[in-house]
Amino acid sequence: MTDATEQGFDLRGEGDRSNWIRLRTLVLLRWVAVTGQLIAVTVAQYFYGLQLPVALCYLAIGASVVGNLLAVWVYPENRRLSELETFMMLLFDIMQLSFLLALTGGLNNPFALLVLAPVTISATVLPLRHTTILGILALVSITLAGLFHVPLLTGDGFVLRIPDIFAFGFWLAIMVGGCFIAAYARRITDEMHAMSRALLATQMALAREQKLTDLGGVVAAAAHELGTPLATIKLVSGELMQELPSGTELHDDAALIRTQADRCRDILRSMGRAGKDDLHLRFAPLETVVREAAEPHMDRGPLIDISVAPEAETDGVQPQIRRHPEIIHGLRNLVQNAVDFAVGEVHIDVEWTASNIVVRISDDGNGFPASVQGRLGDPFMRRRRQDRDRSQRPEYEGMGLGLFIAKTLLERTGANLSFSNGVHASDLPGAHVMVRWQRAGLENPGEVASQPLGPNTPITA
């Protein structure tokens, strides 16, 4: 969970949201707006015969054209805009459109609703303070355009205007619509990027676990392959020690060779304990996999009790399951969460039936807060921390990433997760997490165990 932040990724906040948009995108949108404005002014003048201040209208449209040409000429199109550059471009669009509306009837012009476009774009790519400023400026500019504008005149000099109550309703609709659309767009964008950041953290956690598993397999293979030559070195050095006179330099050298051979054996043995990618160990008993997941947290304080209890309908033989990195890392995150909040005890109950495999993890802590129970498994949850939480875990920021990563990884293996608090007298009073798999999706098929496995294949990156 901390890998991403250690590598410079901001998994908690927005980061530099303005870097999400390229100059080319805003330039293209502005060209579309310029084209629409030119068509609207031309059609209004020559098709409907409206009397417009054409020179000023074309001047306003030309300002957008010049701005686009300068932006393309000065900067490459694939440039990622900074926060200030994006803000200034959207502010220019609001001012240009408001000025053009003031020249063409103000709120009597149905195209006045287009002022919502820059505010909506700002809500998706800029911080909240800049979106608020742009929204206020859009409100002020459209209000001024509604109060002070050049009236729309037909060829006969007739003034085209809507009733005042309709104009006020149109203004109010623009205001309410702007707030609603901006808030809606921002909410959806925040959720999308929160999920993207959480999935990034999940992928990095899984990649780290996979690298550790692969590294362990390489070490195990090295320990296996070097076992025979080290045994030979130890045997020959022992024979030399017997033949050479004690106390001589050659005898001491032979003793040193034997000692170093023993040391190499011990190093490879200790390093190879994590080497589980050997073909014979790609499948392991269910209890073994669960204990491997819980092992890093065994000595952290609370007592971790692992119980294995098959259902009566089974033959009592533990299923051999695949040692998926997703299973190990996901269960490890759940155990870590239980240990972090436990008072003194964590229970891990391993059960299986003829069709299902179930792992229950519970603790004697305070349980899941009622305010977040419906959102458990969602990333970047925000909850006001109580003093009790700060004293228990002062470094914990409560983003929900741990449960999200565990849930995502375990669900990739076909698991279903449920979260609850202790409800029965026999249960621990704290949080309960139940992980359930279909046994057929994890269990070692019989033909794998009954047929020759063949040579171990090299692990490639």
Side-chain angles (χ1 to χ4, degrees):
M1 188 167 59
T2 58
D3 295 335
T5 53
E6 289 173 357
Q7 297 185 28
F9 295 97
D10 181 11
L11 296 177
R12 294 170 295 179
E14 294 179 333
D16 193 359
R17 293 177 59 124
S18 60
N19 286 335
W20 298 348
I21 192 168
R22 294 180 300 174
L23 174 65
R24 179 180 180 180
T25 302
L26 289 185
V27 167
L28 179 60
L29 291 176
R30 188 177 286 174
W31 281 129
V32 173
V34 165
T35 303
Q37 291 169 1
L38 284 173
I39 293 175
V41 171
T42 303
V43 170
Q45 181 184 10
Y46 294 104
F47 186 78
Y48 290 102
L50 298 181
Q51 300 181 29
L52 301 175
V54 178
L56 291 177
C57 290
Y58 286 145
L59 178 63
I61 298 173
S64 290
V65 174
V66 172
N68 262 6
L69 293 177
L70 286 176
V72 173
W73 182 60
V74 174
Y75 301 109
E77 290 188 357
N78 61 351
R79 173 187 172 87
R80 298 285 178 177
L81 295 177
S82 68
E83 184 178 292
L84 179 60
E85 291 168 341
T86 305
F87 176 80
M88 295 304 297
M89 288 194 69
L90 294 177
L91 178 60
F92 173 83
D93 291 337
I94 291 176
M95 296 296 103
Q96 187 266 351
L97 180 59
S98 299
F99 179 67
L100 190 59
L101 289 173
L103 296 175
T104 55
L107 291 177
N108 298 293
N109 189 333
F111 291 103
L113 61 86
L114 291 178
V115 76
L116 302 179
V119 179
T120 304
I121 295 174
S122 173
T124 61
V125 300
L126 288 179
L128 182 59
R129 62 182 183 278
H130 290 91
T131 302
T132 303
I133 294 174
L134 285 177
I136 294 174
L137 291 176
L139 169 63
V140 172
S141 62
I142 197 65
T143 302
L144 293 176
L147 295 175
F148 310 101
H149 58 269
V150 178
L152 286 174
L153 299 177
T154 64
D156 299 332
F158 180 75
V159 177
L160 295 177
R161 63 186 302 272
I162 59 177
D164 292 341
I165 190 171
F166 283 5
F168 175 75
F170 190 25
W171 174 86
L172 187 61
I174 292 176
M175 298 303 101
V176 175
C179 295
F180 176 78
I181 293 175
Y184 184 81
R186 185 172 189 85
R187 177 68 176 177
I188 296 299
T189 304
D190 284 345
E191 290 188 1
M192 290 175 57
H193 285 273
M195 188 63 66
S196 298
R197 295 193 301 271
L199 289 175
L200 171 63
T202 304
Q203 292 169 358
M204 296 182 70
L206 179 59
R208 178 178 179 275
E209 190 70 24
Q210 186 65 56
K211 288 179 181 179
L212 291 176
T213 301
D214 292 346
L215 179 60
V218 171
V219 173
H224 176 74
E225 297 296 334
L226 291 176
T228 299
L230 286 175
T232 302
I233 294 173
K234 182 178 179 180
L235 177 62
V236 173
S237 60
E239 292 177 352
L240 289 175
M241 290 175 61
Q242 293 177 0
E243 295 181 3
L244 294 171
S246 178
T248 63
E249 185 176 351
L250 292 177
H251 182 277
D252 294 340
D253 290 342
L256 179 61
I257 292 174
R258 182 184 178 93
T259 302
Q260 295 303 310
D262 288 337
R263 183 182 177 189
C264 291
R265 178 202 61 196
D266 295 338
I267 292 174
L268 288 173
R269 180 179 300 169
S270 63
M271 294 176 64
R273 288 173 184 167
K276 306 296 185 183
D277 202 56
D278 189 273
L279 286 176
H280 293 277
L281 293 177
R282 287 184 181 172
F283 292 88
L286 175 59
E287 181 183 2
T288 301
V289 176
V290 173
R291 287 189 179 276
E292 181 180 353
E295 183 179 5
H297 306 290
M298 286 291 191
D299 300 323
R300 290 187 52 207
L303 173 65
I304 299 180
D305 178 39
I306 301 177
S307 63
V308 180
E311 295 292 335
E313 62 186 64
T314 64
D315 55 9
V317 178
Q318 285 194 41
Q320 301 280 326
I321 67 171
R322 288 186 178 273
R323 294 185 59 262
H324 286 297
E326 293 95 330
I327 294 178
I328 296 174
H329 195 87
L331 291 178
R332 186 169 294 164
N333 271 13
L334 295 179
V335 174
Q336 176 185 354
N337 193 72
V339 170
D340 286 344
F341 289 100
V343 175
E345 193 173 1
V346 174
H347 286 181
I348 303 177
D349 300 315
V350 182
E351 302 173 359
W352 65 90
T353 65
S355 58
N356 294 321
I357 293 175
V358 178
V359 176
R360 293 185 176 88
I361 302 173
S362 56
D363 61 71
D364 60 350
N366 297 315
F368 296 117
S371 60
V372 300
Q373 277 196 9
R375 297 182 291 131
L376 289 172
D378 292 343
F380 303 101
M381 293 187 302
R382 292 290 183 262
R383 180 176 71 91
R384 186 181 299 276
R385 299 183 63 199
Q386 301 176 0
D387 295 337
R388 178 183 58 194
D389 299 331
R390 294 188 179 92
S391 62
Q392 187 174 3
R393 298 183 71 189
E395 79 287 353
Y396 180 71
E397 299 186 16
M399 294 185 293
L401 267 182
L403 287 179
F404 173 81
I405 291 175
K407 187 172 184 289
T408 302
L409 293 180
L410 291 172
E411 286 179 346
R412 288 181 58 175
T413 66
N416 291 319
L417 280 76
S418 61
F419 304 91
S420 63
N421 291 326
V423 294
H424 301 294
S426 58
D427 292 340
L428 291 178
H432 286 236
V433 181
M434 184 176 70
V435 187
R436 182 188 299 272
W437 292 271
Q438 292 291 324
R439 184 166 174 173
L442 291 184
E443 196 169 13
N444 182 9
E447 59 269 14
V448 174
S450 61
Q451 295 180 2
L453 293 176
N456 292 328
T457 55
I459 297 176
T460 58

